Amino acid sequence: MNKKTQRIIVIVLAAVLLLSLLASALAAIAYADVTKQDIQNIKDDLSDIQAQKKEVQAKLAEIRDDLSQAKAQVELIQSQVVLTEEEINTSQALLDRYDLQIAEKEADIQRLEAQEEAQYQEFYRQVRWMEETGGTSYLSILFEASSLAEMLDSAMIITDIMDYSNRIIDQLNATQAQLGAARDELAAGRAAQAEVQQDLEVRKAELEDQRAQAQTLLSQIAASESEYAAEAKKLADSEAQINKELKEAERKYAAQLAALEAQQNANMTSGDWYWPLPGRYKISSLFGSRPDPFTGKRDNHTGTDIPAPGGTPIYAAKTGIVTTVNKNKNASSYGYYCIISHGSGYATLYAHQNQVPIVQEGQAVQKGQVIGYVGSTGRSTGNHLHFELRVNGVRNDVLKLYPGMTFTSPSGGKMNGG
């Protein structure tokens, strides 16, 4: 397995591990209130899965390219196998041809050896005869003739004997020469046959190696295709499951909002509001027109300022959904702040907190729940809570929500809410 394949397997296994963790988290959410942040988290998880899926698909495409190359390599090896088989067949045909030639040459040698033996026996008989008649010379035969005709007959006989002897010798020499050539050709044929046989064995070994290579590649291709197809299916199934969980969370969240709004519609004007800083009822700046603490010029103050030491807990005035959390104290004159929507168009704002509010956007909060701590961030002259009411987006005097409560005015006198 190459490094690229190992890397893709590590990525896929990491994705599967992430999905198992997400499944546990989603199962926990199913048994608790769903917040907007929970939904966003699921969407973020879904985006992560989709990104993982896209990356795996891209890597899978690369692997498939590699597999295509491997398949092409297999086809090339199979072509080599065919060529090697043809070479083997050709070599075998050549060996068969050499077998025929050697068989023919061996037959020729046997025939020539028999011919040589016969010629040798004839030559031996001739020599033996000459030895037996060696006491009489050819000249004495000629001189013993009684007439010229007899002399001529004797001379012809002598010539025939000499020609016959020469022919025997010449035939024997020719046969021996042919026999030597035949034996040389036989030796050369056998040497060539041995060389072809050796080459044939090499080709057969190459053929087995090529077939083994092709089988290995085919096995790798089948395993890789099956493995990555299964992992891709796991990712697709997990994505579908997360989409299902997301739809369920959105449905539950919408139901929560509807129930909350119905509840708020029933008691929004009942005066059942919680004071965000219990025990601290002194007001340092009221809603409406006032001198700006920085410029001295009169301006419109959008909320009610309640002095308190830094770090004093701030409580939610009523049950609702956190719609805004400002995490950058320099992004607004409010500094760190959050807004809670209570339904029926009502929303409260809690500004100048000493740190990022401890609630999250989309979170459902209960009346009296701590949402942050008093500070002096943003455009502020000291530690205090800027408490603001908005009704259908229009700023209102928040003290109207607290009828019957007594406050200390900026001048030091007593005043009632409502």
Side-chain angles (χ1 to χ4, degrees):
M1 185 178 295
N2 58 36
K3 291 184 178 179
K4 183 181 293 183
T5 302
Q6 292 175 344
R7 187 168 64 253
I8 296 303
I9 291 175
V10 170
I11 291 173
V12 172
L13 291 177
V16 172
L17 178 59
L18 175 61
L19 290 177
S20 65
L21 295 176
L22 292 178
S24 298
L26 291 175
I29 290 173
Y31 295 99
D33 287 339
V34 177
T35 68
K36 187 176 181 181
Q37 186 61 42
D38 292 331
I39 292 176
Q40 184 59 47
N41 290 340
I42 297 175
K43 289 181 178 178
D44 292 341
D45 294 337
L46 181 59
S47 296
D48 290 340
I49 291 300
Q50 290 172 340
Q52 292 265 5
K53 181 181 176 183
K54 185 176 181 181
E55 183 177 358
V56 170
Q57 286 174 340
K59 295 297 183 182
L60 186 56
E62 293 180 10
I63 289 297
R64 284 172 178 166
D65 289 340
D66 292 341
L67 293 178
S68 297
Q69 295 177 7
K71 289 179 179 178
Q73 187 175 355
V74 168
E75 292 177 357
L76 179 61
I77 291 176
Q78 289 174 340
S79 298
Q80 292 175 338
V81 167
V82 172
L83 292 175
T84 303
E85 288 176 342
E86 291 179 355
E87 287 181 341
I88 290 174
N89 292 334
T90 302
S91 297
Q92 188 61 55
L94 184 57
L95 282 177
D96 294 342
R97 182 62 181 170
Y98 275 126
D99 288 341
L100 291 176
Q101 289 180 347
I102 289 172
E104 291 175 356
K105 194 58 62 179
E106 287 176 342
D108 288 343
I109 289 174
Q110 289 179 355
R111 179 182 57 79
L112 289 172
E113 286 176 345
Q115 180 177 315
E116 179 188 36
E117 179 63 23
Q119 291 173 344
Y120 178 77
Q121 291 299 328
E122 181 67 20
F123 177 73
Y124 177 77
R125 286 194 298 271
Q126 181 67 16
V127 171
R128 183 70 176 268
W129 177 79
M130 292 178 66
E131 287 179 353
E132 290 175 353
T133 59
T136 304
S137 66
Y138 293 137
L139 290 176
S140 62
I141 293 174
L142 291 175
F143 291 140
E144 289 177 358
S146 59
S147 64
L148 179 61
E150 186 178 352
M151 181 181 294
L152 292 176
D153 289 338
S154 297
M156 290 181 65
I157 291 172
I158 292 171
T159 300
D160 289 340
I161 293 173
M162 293 178 64
D163 288 342
Y164 178 70
S165 297
N166 288 334
R167 282 197 305 273
I168 292 175
I169 294 172
D170 290 341
Q171 289 175 355
L172 181 58
N173 289 334
T175 298
Q176 290 177 341
Q178 291 177 2
L179 185 60
R183 286 171 176 167
D184 290 341
E185 290 177 3
L186 177 61
R190 285 175 174 170
Q193 184 188 44
E195 183 177 353
V196 172
Q197 184 66 47
Q198 184 179 3
D199 185 67
L200 179 61
E201 296 303 322
V202 172
R203 292 291 179 269
K204 288 181 177 179
E206 288 179 357
L207 179 61
E208 293 303 318
D209 183 62
Q210 290 166 352
R211 284 175 173 167
Q213 289 181 28
Q215 185 59 46
T216 299
L217 281 173
L218 287 172
S219 298
Q220 290 177 350
I221 290 171
S224 297
E225 286 179 332
S226 176
E227 179 180 357
Y228 287 109
E231 294 302 336
K233 185 178 184 302
K234 285 183 181 179
L235 285 174
D237 292 344
S238 299
E239 182 183 20
Q241 179 63 27
I242 291 178
N243 276 320
K244 181 179 178 181
E245 296 290 347
L246 177 59
K247 289 180 180 179
E248 177 61 21
E250 288 176 335
R251 183 199 64 76
K252 188 173 182 181
Y253 179 63
Q256 288 176 195
L257 289 180
L260 179 62
E261 185 171 359
Q263 178 186 359
Q264 296 298 342
N265 288 336
N267 63 16
M268 189 59 65
T269 59
S270 67
D272 185 22
W273 289 81
Y274 192 86
W275 185 245
L277 296 177
R280 300 188 182 278
Y281 304 104
K282 180 180 179 179
I283 308 301
S284 59
S285 183
L286 294 168
F287 174 80
S289 178
R290 67 158 189 181
D292 186 280
F294 289 93
T295 66
K297 297 180 180 180
R298 297 199 70 82
D299 67 355
N300 185 41
H301 190 220
T302 59
T304 299
D305 291 344
I306 311 165
T312 300
I314 302 170
Y315 299 88
K318 189 175 281 291
T319 299
I321 300 294
V322 179
T323 59
T324 303
V325 174
N326 180 37
K327 299 180 180 180
N328 182 358
K329 66 180 179 179
N330 299 317
S332 170
S333 61
Y334 289 136
Y336 292 124
Y337 71 93
C338 64
I339 299 175
I340 302 175
S341 174
H342 306 287
S344 299
Y346 281 71
T348 51
L349 179 145
Y350 309 80
H352 305 307
Q353 297 184 35
N354 68 344
Q355 63 183 30
V356 176
I358 62 174
V359 292
Q360 297 179 344
E361 291 182 1
Q363 179 179 344
V365 296
Q366 302 298 317
K367 181 178 69 174
Q369 178 180 335
V370 177
I371 60 173
Y373 301 93
V374 172
S376 186
T377 57
R379 195 168 183 268
S380 172
T381 58
N383 290 316
H384 72 284
L385 170 64
H386 175 91
F387 187 30
E388 188 173 302
L389 170 66
R390 298 177 181 180
V391 181
N392 294 321
V394 179
R395 292 176 173 87
N396 284 260
D397 185 359
V398 72
L399 295 182
K400 293 180 179 180
L401 300 177
Y402 300 91
M405 289 184 65
T406 301
F407 302 96
T408 302
S409 68
S411 62
K414 298 299 181 180
M415 57 179 293
N416 294 322

